[in-house]
Amino acid sequence: AQSVSQHNHHVILSEAASLELGCNYSYGGTVNLFWYVQYPGQHLQLLLKYFSGDPLVKGIKGFEAEFIKSKFSFNLRKPSVQWSDTAEYFCAVNAAGNKLTFGGGTRVLVKP
Amino acid sequence: EADIYQTPRYLVIGTGKKITLECSQTMGHDKMYWYQQDPGMELHLIHYSYGVNSTEKGDLSSESTVSRIRTEHFPLTLESARPSHTSQYLCASRTGVTTEAFFGQGTRLTVV
């Protein structure tokens, strides 16, 4: 069965700091990978996705993620965060069939 | 803006009552999902459907049931609500495994 692990539950950092959130999945075949964000009081929305091609994908709001197949990882990065990046971030994987499985989420607090 | 709607947004109900949480989408998506999310916690997949008359159980065992009689409609039913069912329920839909899932605003259920 596919599963997704996000290593950090909570991250606190200051504005302009760099952010990297870890995501690992367990599935040996072809995967489609996603990062979603949930701002306070809002619904989940897509940040970026990977399904083939260049393993470095760029998303909205300056976020990017790198797919490393050998490490079963899809880490999210942003070089310089803003206060408005305060949110919860979820990694998700679609491997076998139609299931879309999410990780536990990482709550990010950016201090002004 | 995604066209996926959940009703009600908030529901407080007594133990033993039967409830149905509604989810509708107007995008013609064939795949639909129900997730359960406790505050600040991960999303657990409880049900999904890949088309009319198809439903599957997700990763987290749930006493709820679902139906998919029409493409646009994917209601979730609890025959006898219990306090342990108190949670937020999120509905999502998408077209294919490489496409993003669109989420509704969620239904926050409290069983007293």
Side-chain angles (χ1 to χ4, degrees):
Chain A
Q2 61 194 49
S3 66
V4 183
S5 297
Q6 293 182 239
H7 316 299
N8 311 98
H9 296 293
H10 294 91
V11 172
I12 301 173
L13 61 169
S14 301
E15 277 193 312
S18 64
L19 173 70
E20 180 161 0
L21 302 181
C23 172
N24 285 89
Y25 63 92
S26 64
Y27 186 75
T30 302
V31 292
N32 301 302
L33 298 156
F34 307 82
W35 274 99
Y36 284 82
V37 61
Q38 188 173 32
Y39 297 106
Q42 296 189 27
H43 61 276
L44 279 150
Q45 53 189 285
L46 183 73
L47 268 180
L48 48 79
K49 64 179 180 179
Y50 170 83
F51 57 92
S52 68
D54 189 344
L56 184 63
V57 293
K58 295 190 183 299
I60 61 172
K61 306 186 179 186
F63 284 92
E64 63 178 33
E66 185 175 14
F67 170 53
I68 303 179
K69 189 174 181 179
S70 60
K71 295 184 178 180
F72 298 90
S73 70
F74 189 56
N75 293 353
L76 181 72
R77 296 193 293 255
K78 185 169 183 177
S80 176
V81 296
Q82 300 172 312
W83 175 80
S84 57
D85 293 321
T86 293
E88 190 155 18
Y89 294 81
F90 293 90
C91 181
V93 61
N94 190 133
N98 300 290
K99 287 171 61 175
L100 181 61
T101 301
F102 284 78
T106 299
R107 192 164 286 216
V108 174
L109 173 62
V110 180
K111 297 188 292 184
Chain B
E1 190 72 22
D3 296 318
I4 179 164
Y5 308 100
Q6 290 185 244
T7 57
R9 288 289 311 277
Y10 302 93
L11 178 62
V12 181
I13 200 161
T15 298
K17 300 290 186 184
K18 177 181 178 179
I19 58 169
T20 296
L21 308 184
E22 302 288 349
C23 177
S24 295
Q25 50 96 4
T26 59
M27 299 172 282
H29 290 168
D30 55 343
K31 297 170 180 50
M32 295 189 74
Y33 304 82
W34 276 104
Y35 293 88
Q36 186 174 339
Q37 183 186 30
D38 293 323
M41 303 295 282
E42 62 194 286
L43 279 79
H44 293 286
L45 179 66
I46 51 175
H47 298 283
Y48 64 103
S49 165
Y50 44 87
V52 171
N53 293 326
S54 88
T55 60
E56 301 284 345
K57 291 194 177 295
D59 301 317
L60 180 69
S61 176
S62 175
E63 294 167 344
S64 59
T65 59
V66 292
S67 63
R68 190 87 183 277
I69 300 171
R70 303 197 318 264
T71 297
E72 62 271 21
H73 197 212
F74 191 41
L76 180 145
T77 299
L78 276 165
E79 290 292 333
S80 179
R82 294 209 300 269
S84 60
H85 297 139
T86 295
S87 189
Q88 177 165 241
Y89 294 84
L90 296 173
C91 180
S93 73
R94 61 176 178 158
T95 54
V97 297
T98 62
T99 62
E100 70 174 289
F102 292 93
F103 281 82
Q105 294 277 42
T107 293
R108 196 170 291 276
L109 172 67
T110 302
V111 184
V112 297

PDB file of all heavy atoms in Angstrom, chain A residues 69-81:
ATOM      1  N   LYS A  69      13.963  10.023  -7.405  1.00  0.00           N
ATOM      2  CA  LYS A  69      13.387   8.678  -7.444  1.00  0.00           C
ATOM      3  C   LYS A  69      14.157   7.699  -6.562  1.00  0.00           C
ATOM      4  O   LYS A  69      13.556   6.871  -5.887  1.00  0.00           O
ATOM      5  CB  LYS A  69      13.360   8.174  -8.890  1.00  0.00           C
ATOM      6  CG  LYS A  69      12.581   6.885  -9.078  1.00  0.00           C
ATOM      7  CD  LYS A  69      12.483   6.528 -10.544  1.00  0.00           C
ATOM      8  CE  LYS A  69      11.688   5.255 -10.736  1.00  0.00           C
ATOM      9  NZ  LYS A  69      11.547   4.893 -12.164  1.00  0.00           N
ATOM     10  N   SER A  70      15.479   7.812  -6.562  1.00  0.00           N
ATOM     11  CA  SER A  70      16.298   6.867  -5.803  1.00  0.00           C
ATOM     12  C   SER A  70      16.083   6.995  -4.300  1.00  0.00           C
ATOM     13  O   SER A  70      16.344   6.058  -3.540  1.00  0.00           O
ATOM     14  CB  SER A  70      17.777   7.073  -6.123  1.00  0.00           C
ATOM     15  OG  SER A  70      18.185   8.385  -5.780  1.00  0.00           O
ATOM     16  N   LYS A  71      15.621   8.157  -3.888  1.00  0.00           N
ATOM     17  CA  LYS A  71      15.380   8.390  -2.460  1.00  0.00           C
ATOM     18  C   LYS A  71      13.900   8.373  -2.119  1.00  0.00           C
ATOM     19  O   LYS A  71      13.540   8.606  -0.956  1.00  0.00           O
ATOM     20  CB  LYS A  71      15.982   9.738  -2.038  1.00  0.00           C
ATOM     21  CG  LYS A  71      17.492   9.800  -2.128  1.00  0.00           C
ATOM     22  CD  LYS A  71      18.020  11.125  -1.596  1.00  0.00           C
ATOM     23  CE  LYS A  71      19.545  11.166  -1.637  1.00  0.00           C
ATOM     24  NZ  LYS A  71      20.072  12.451  -1.119  1.00  0.00           N
ATOM     25  N   PHE A  72      13.057   8.125  -3.099  1.00  0.00           N
ATOM     26  CA  PHE A  72      11.599   8.133  -2.892  1.00  0.00           C
ATOM     27  C   PHE A  72      11.178   9.434  -2.200  1.00  0.00           C
ATOM     28  O   PHE A  72      10.383   9.429  -1.262  1.00  0.00           O
ATOM     29  CB  PHE A  72      11.163   6.925  -2.032  1.00  0.00           C
ATOM     30  CG  PHE A  72      11.473   5.609  -2.669  1.00  0.00           C
ATOM     31  CD1 PHE A  72      12.696   4.977  -2.432  1.00  0.00           C
ATOM     32  CD2 PHE A  72      10.573   5.001  -3.523  1.00  0.00           C
ATOM     33  CE1 PHE A  72      13.002   3.766  -3.034  1.00  0.00           C
ATOM     34  CE2 PHE A  72      10.865   3.780  -4.129  1.00  0.00           C
ATOM     35  CZ  PHE A  72      12.085   3.171  -3.885  1.00  0.00           C
ATOM     36  N   SER A  73      11.755  10.537  -2.668  1.00  0.00           N
ATOM     37  CA  SER A  73      11.488  11.805  -1.992  1.00  0.00           C
ATOM     38  C   SER A  73      10.945  12.847  -2.955  1.00  0.00           C
ATOM     39  O   SER A  73      11.174  12.794  -4.171  1.00  0.00           O
ATOM     40  CB  SER A  73      12.756  12.336  -1.328  1.00  0.00           C
ATOM     41  OG  SER A  73      13.696  12.768  -2.300  1.00  0.00           O
ATOM     42  N   PHE A  74      10.249  13.804  -2.398  1.00  0.00           N
ATOM     43  CA  PHE A  74       9.674  14.922  -3.168  1.00  0.00           C
ATOM     44  C   PHE A  74       9.628  16.123  -2.228  1.00  0.00           C
ATOM     45  O   PHE A  74       8.575  16.524  -1.739  1.00  0.00           O
ATOM     46  CB  PHE A  74       8.280  14.532  -3.686  1.00  0.00           C
ATOM     47  CG  PHE A  74       7.696  15.518  -4.668  1.00  0.00           C
ATOM     48  CD1 PHE A  74       8.380  15.862  -5.824  1.00  0.00           C
ATOM     49  CD2 PHE A  74       6.434  16.066  -4.460  1.00  0.00           C
ATOM     50  CE1 PHE A  74       7.837  16.750  -6.743  1.00  0.00           C
ATOM     51  CE2 PHE A  74       5.880  16.951  -5.375  1.00  0.00           C
ATOM     52  CZ  PHE A  74       6.580  17.295  -6.518  1.00  0.00           C
ATOM     53  N   ASN A  75      10.785  16.696  -1.971  1.00  0.00           N
ATOM     54  CA  ASN A  75      10.899  17.780  -0.994  1.00  0.00           C
ATOM     55  C   ASN A  75      10.493  19.130  -1.578  1.00  0.00           C
ATOM     56  O   ASN A  75      10.818  19.451  -2.721  1.00  0.00           O
ATOM     57  CB  ASN A  75      12.318  17.860  -0.450  1.00  0.00           C
ATOM     58  CG  ASN A  75      12.689  16.640   0.379  1.00  0.00           C
ATOM     59  OD1 ASN A  75      11.848  15.789   0.668  1.00  0.00           O
ATOM     60  ND2 ASN A  75      13.961  16.546   0.735  1.00  0.00           N
ATOM     61  N   LEU A  76       9.847  19.905  -0.759  1.00  0.00           N
ATOM     62  CA  LEU A  76       9.358  21.234  -1.153  1.00  0.00           C
ATOM     63  C   LEU A  76      10.322  22.293  -0.670  1.00  0.00           C
ATOM     64  O   LEU A  76      10.810  22.215   0.472  1.00  0.00           O
ATOM     65  CB  LEU A  76       7.971  21.478  -0.548  1.00  0.00           C
ATOM     66  CG  LEU A  76       7.300  22.802  -0.863  1.00  0.00           C
ATOM     67  CD1 LEU A  76       6.837  22.837  -2.327  1.00  0.00           C
ATOM     68  CD2 LEU A  76       6.111  23.031   0.070  1.00  0.00           C
ATOM     69  N   ARG A  77      10.552  23.309  -1.488  1.00  0.00           N
ATOM     70  CA  ARG A  77      11.501  24.367  -1.098  1.00  0.00           C
ATOM     71  C   ARG A  77      10.963  25.734  -1.497  1.00  0.00           C
ATOM     72  O   ARG A  77      10.199  25.878  -2.464  1.00  0.00           O
ATOM     73  CB  ARG A  77      12.862  24.156  -1.786  1.00  0.00           C
ATOM     74  CG  ARG A  77      13.582  22.893  -1.394  1.00  0.00           C
ATOM     75  CD  ARG A  77      15.024  22.927  -1.867  1.00  0.00           C
ATOM     76  NE  ARG A  77      15.132  22.888  -3.320  1.00  0.00           N
ATOM     77  CZ  ARG A  77      15.505  21.813  -4.000  1.00  0.00           C
ATOM     78  NH1 ARG A  77      15.781  20.682  -3.361  1.00  0.00           N
ATOM     79  NH2 ARG A  77      15.625  21.857  -5.310  1.00  0.00           N
ATOM     80  N   LYS A  78      11.404  26.728  -0.726  1.00  0.00           N
ATOM     81  CA  LYS A  78      11.197  28.122  -1.102  1.00  0.00           C
ATOM     82  C   LYS A  78      12.388  28.901  -0.560  1.00  0.00           C
ATOM     83  O   LYS A  78      12.699  28.808   0.625  1.00  0.00           O
ATOM     84  CB  LYS A  78       9.886  28.676  -0.537  1.00  0.00           C
ATOM     85  CG  LYS A  78       9.615  30.100  -1.024  1.00  0.00           C
ATOM     86  CD  LYS A  78       8.214  30.561  -0.698  1.00  0.00           C
ATOM     87  CE  LYS A  78       7.997  31.965  -1.279  1.00  0.00           C
ATOM     88  NZ  LYS A  78       6.612  32.462  -1.062  1.00  0.00           N
ATOM     89  N   PRO A  79      13.069  29.635  -1.416  1.00  0.00           N
ATOM     90  CA  PRO A  79      14.316  30.300  -1.002  1.00  0.00           C
ATOM     91  C   PRO A  79      14.134  31.359   0.072  1.00  0.00           C
ATOM     92  O   PRO A  79      15.002  31.544   0.920  1.00  0.00           O
ATOM     93  CB  PRO A  79      14.838  30.928  -2.300  1.00  0.00           C
ATOM     94  CG  PRO A  79      14.112  30.239  -3.399  1.00  0.00           C
ATOM     95  CD  PRO A  79      12.787  29.831  -2.844  1.00  0.00           C
ATOM     96  N   SER A  80      12.991  32.062   0.025  1.00  0.00           N
ATOM     97  CA  SER A  80      12.805  33.180   0.945  1.00  0.00           C
ATOM     98  C   SER A  80      11.314  33.283   1.277  1.00  0.00           C
ATOM     99  O   SER A  80      10.509  33.675   0.435  1.00  0.00           O
ATOM    100  CB  SER A  80      13.302  34.480   0.300  1.00  0.00           C
ATOM    101  OG  SER A  80      13.055  35.593   1.130  1.00  0.00           O
ATOM    102  N   VAL A  81      10.961  32.915   2.499  1.00  0.00           N
ATOM    103  CA  VAL A  81       9.539  32.881   2.850  1.00  0.00           C
ATOM    104  C   VAL A  81       9.041  34.251   3.287  1.00  0.00           C
ATOM    105  O   VAL A  81       9.803  35.122   3.698  1.00  0.00           O
ATOM    106  CB  VAL A  81       9.266  31.844   3.961  1.00  0.00           C
ATOM    107  CG1 VAL A  81       9.578  30.445   3.475  1.00  0.00           C
ATOM    108  CG2 VAL A  81      10.028  32.194   5.233  1.00  0.00           C
TER     109      VAL A  81
END
